[in-house]
Amino acid sequence: MTASNPDFAVIDRAVTAAKAAAPTLAEATPSRRARLLRGLAEALESQQAELVAIADQETGLGPARLNGEVARTAFQLRGFADEVEQGVPYRRVDDGAVAGAPPAGRPHLTRVQVPLGPVAMFSASNFPFAFSVLGGDTASALAAGCPVVVKTHSGHPQLSRAVYELARGVLAEQGWPAGVLGLVESSSRAGGTYLVQHPDTAAVAFTGSHQGGVALWKAANERARPIPFYGELGSINPLVVLPQVLERDGEALAQTLAGSITLGCGQFCTSPGVIVLFDHPASERFVAALGDALRPIATHRMLTDNMRRGFDDGVVRIAGHPDVRSLFEPAADGAGPAPRLFETSATAFIADAHLREEMFGPAAVVVKVKSTAEAVEVLEAIGGTLTATLWGVEDDTADNRALVRAAEHIAGRVLFGGVPTGVAVCHAQQHGGPWPSSTQPQSTSVGFAALERFLRPVALQDAPAWRLA
């Protein structure tokens, strides 16, 4: 790769500016850094109506969903500002000197956290505000003291430019270097790889497809100096349902689950894609109720033509599998694709990895199991997932303990009620699970712990007073 490519030249300028701005942001006082984050939230809200109109035109997600997303984005920015003011990125651990020889004796050691440097942030398609230019990755990196170079998503380019322009205004008004936040619009895979492998890029935050994420993760690790790659690569989010809970409330739960499967046309990384049911009459009634709830739901158009093609291809692949049957005849497609529901056996699901591939859209697969042990095998076959949901494990039994243990082993978030769509922004949140759902399962991309991704611990030994002031 050479910078003779126009995309590469733009990336060079953005990353070079970010590197130049890095010391200013890293050394900024908590109050100044927090003021930046709050200023960005205020600017976003001040142009909310115009931005939502642009976003709706580009994504078709609808004003209600998009206004809610703006509220979440502003909440995140202000929440990270609070974290900064409370000193979270500046925390240190101090061990005073102890006279004498080791192991009891020691020098004065102070463990501090230093920002990594410029972060390349790849915008997500399905959250044009909350995981884009001023979304959670940007907010958490800025809170940690790292400049951000945003790689826009081709699904909402006008919105990305508009949000970036208002952010530039905030930077200028507050006297920050322009390189604190940069924007690149390359739509090519080569451009994304170049950004990841730029020698001044210090870390990467990515939310997107498994295929694209793995390619960039490899690029980050093939550098002469590999860098952290925080990738969220998608998930099929199994939901295990015990018969007794269906006997109590099967009809209402079917309605709830149908809404979750089709929310946002199924374009959520936490959309429940696998429903594990036990052989039982209550399960049969639940499947019928779920099909009745799904069939009439009209979805909106998908975010991009490529996503629609990918969903259609996934449906054809699943529907054509010899061990899969469709549970109802779908209604005709409207603005978006008709919801789909399929069923297969645990044996087939465990044996064939193709049945465990994500269908990014309004579809799910019912997997029938004969025992708790078989349900555990299904979860183990799924491997890493962002979420796993268990309905009906309230009692402390050996079977329920086995299901919980299996769910905790494969998922970053385990739900004991409700549905996985909807991710709260708070301190206890974990959004990231074992491979292949994410590349760094010990980290989260949602919640206030997300800023820890962009800090590196350094132990200062016998440091001078001015460094510790």
Side-chain angles (χ1 to χ4, degrees), residues 212-257:
V214 168
L216 293 174
W217 170 76
K218 289 180 178 178
N221 285 283
E222 289 168 354
R223 293 169 45 122
R225 181 176 62 84
I227 56 174
F229 184 92
Y230 298 102
E232 193 256 83
L233 311 181
S235 182
I236 60 174
N237 306 297
L239 187 154
V240 181
V241 191
L242 272 60
Q244 58 265 32
V245 75
L246 296 180
E247 290 181 315
R248 292 196 309 264
D249 206 17
E251 290 282 344
L253 289 172
Q255 293 288 336
T256 298
L257 183 55

Side-chain angles (χ1 to χ4, degrees), residues 267-280:
Q267 298 169 115
F268 278 65
C269 52
T270 54
S271 183
V274 174
I275 300 105
V276 182
L277 298 175
F278 290 76
D279 280 335
H280 190 279

Side-chain angles (χ1 to χ4, degrees), residues 17-18 24 80 100-101 107 118 122 124 177 221 228 232 264 274 289 318 333 366 425:
T24 300
F80 280 111
F122 285 73
N221 285 283
E232 193 256 83
V274 174
I318 294 293
D333 291 349
V366 172
V425 181

Side-chain angles (χ1 to χ4, degrees), residues 17 27 59 76 95 105 115 120 148 178 180 205 222 226-227 263 266 270 321 357-358 372-373 403 420 428 435 437 452:
E27 295 168 10
T59 68
Q76 289 174 159
D95 281 324
V148 178
V180 164
E222 289 168 354
I227 56 174
L263 183 65
T270 54
H321 194 285
E357 293 176 2
E358 182 181 18
T372 297
L403 288 172
W435 183 275
S437 61
E452 296 170 7

